[in-house]
Amino acid sequence: MVALKHYKEHVKAAVAAGADLIVCGAGLPLELPSLVPKESGSKIAPIVSSRRAAEILLKKWDKQYERTADLLVVEGPKAGGHLGFHEEELKDVDHIDFDEQVREIVECKKTYEEKYHVSIPVVVGGGVFNRDDIVHVMDLGADGVQIASRFVATDECDASQAYKQSYVDAKPEDIQIVKSPVGMPGRAIRNAFVKQVEAHRVPVTKCYNCLKKCNPGEVPYCITKALTNAVKGDLDHGLIFCGANVGKIKEIVPVHQLIKELVYG
Ligand SMILES: Cc1cc2nc3c(=O)[nH]c(=O)nc-3n(C[C@H](O)[C@H](O)[C@H](O)COP(=O)(O)O)c2cc1C
């Protein structure tokens, strides 16, 4: 996450550890090439949510570093967690022509594929729920999909059982856009915690030093504490991030079964 206070140190540590691929989001990773020397062999992938962001980033990397992306992750308005859209836009996600953004990003990256004689795969995420959705984004020109929410509701996911069950129990009307101290809107299940922070702030008792821009004395709650509480199963004090299609999840299944369903329908 570009928004992290120790973002650069995290990237450098990943390179030193021999990471194959570094995926950066929660802000545009404009300086990422300067942190990942080409000789390191670590590949770099920005997360973008619009053609405009993709264009700005690829142009900057080209001009300033003579580099291009090794892979592009395109995250749409139906994704879970922090979102690269304005709160206003997210009130009516069906009004955002995300398909068009994907098509345009696929077009835009071709310039850089030609210039650098490489292939830049495009991976699309956000609301991809079943085989038809996968076929749909591949038809738009994507090379792969990034799926999160469905894999939370699997036996193998290491979140608490309570977290996974909250996905199974969630109805479409339980999902809402929340403000996050990260400075981006996020999508989460409307639980006791979300209602509580709407009414008053939850004072920060311990600072984890996670974000570049965070004033623990002012933020409505601590994002690190809220997310870890939820993952550990303390849902009443936790923020349950989820994708827009979480209401369609009906059971917790083994990953093997989910993959079979996604691949064969
Ligand atoms: C619980 C949860 C936590 C997430 N946390 C992150 C994160 O820390 N960084 C990130 O880049 N994306 C994060 N995401 C977004 C996913 O990586 C993914 O792109 C998106 O949720 C895909 O949409 P889907 O959940 O509808 O499949 C998160 C998603 C969920 C559901």
Side-chain angles (χ1 to χ4, degrees), residues 1-4 7 11 22-32 45-50 53-54 56-57 61 72-73 75 81-85 180 182-185 211-213:
M1 282 183 28
V2 181
L4 290 180
Y7 159 67
V11 173
I22 300 173
V23 186
C24 282
L28 266 189
L30 293 169
E31 298 168 15
L32 187 57
I47 304 178
V48 292
S49 291
S50 65
I56 291 172
L57 184 116
W61 284 14
L72 275 173
V73 178
E75 221 180 55
H82 294 111
L83 304 164
F85 295 83
S180 158
V182 169
M184 302 166 85
L211 297 173
K212 262 180 225 156
K213 291 181 191 163

Side-chain angles (χ1 to χ4, degrees), residues 56-231:
I56 291 172
L57 184 116
L58 292 175
K59 201 178 262 179
K60 160 107 177 168
W61 284 14
D62 175 39
K63 281 230 164 81
Q64 191 158 345
Y65 306 107
E66 292 184 341
R67 292 270 289 276
T68 196
D70 294 303
L71 177 134
L72 275 173
V73 178
V74 186
E75 221 180 55
K78 292 186 179 172
H82 294 111
L83 304 164
F85 295 83
H86 295 295
E87 219 178 317
E88 275 304 304
E89 297 176 287
L90 294 166
K91 285 195 175 129
D92 187 3
V93 285
D94 293 325
H95 259 83
I96 302 174
D97 192 351
F98 181 62
D99 287 1
E100 186 53 24
Q101 296 292 315
V102 174
R103 281 191 212 97
E104 289 179 13
I105 289 169
V106 168
E107 271 312 300
C108 163
K109 58 117 187 186
K110 285 182 184 162
T111 311
Y112 300 95
E113 287 184 321
E114 279 164 24
K115 176 163 181 187
Y116 289 93
H117 308 289
V118 292
S119 137
I120 308 173
V122 169
V123 171
V124 174
V128 176
F129 193 84
N130 55 29
R131 188 176 187 279
D132 288 348
D133 296 332
I134 297 174
V135 170
H136 176 72
V137 296
M138 303 298 264
D139 284 347
L140 297 173
D143 301 283
V145 289
Q146 177 165 297
I147 303 178
S149 297
R150 291 222 60 191
F151 286 92
V152 172
T154 59
D155 294 333
E156 288 85 347
C157 172
D158 64 357
S160 65
Q161 202 59 27
Y163 194 109
K164 299 183 200 181
Q165 191 57 40
S166 73
Y167 269 36
V168 176
D169 297 339
K171 295 180 198 64
E173 59 272 24
D174 299 332
I175 297 144
Q176 96 171 50
I177 300 299
V178 296
K179 283 190 201 307
S180 158
V182 169
M184 302 166 85
R187 180 173 283 107
I189 295 177
R190 181 171 174 77
N191 65 347
F193 178 76
V194 169
K195 289 179 198 162
Q196 189 188 353
V197 293
E198 271 176 3
H200 58 83
R201 69 181 286 266
V202 178
V204 178
T205 50
K206 177 185 168 187
C207 179
Y208 295 86
N209 245 323
C210 61
L211 297 173
K212 262 180 225 156
K213 291 181 191 163
C214 177
N215 179 347
E218 279 179 11
V219 285
Y221 58 90
C222 168
I223 184 74
T224 293
K225 182 87 180 128
L227 291 175
T228 44
N229 278 350
V231 169

Side-chain angles (χ1 to χ4, degrees), residues 251 253-262:
E251 55 178 340
V253 296
V255 165
H256 182 78
Q257 185 181 324
L258 175 55
I259 293 278
K260 256 171 66 181
E261 185 206 314
L262 292 170

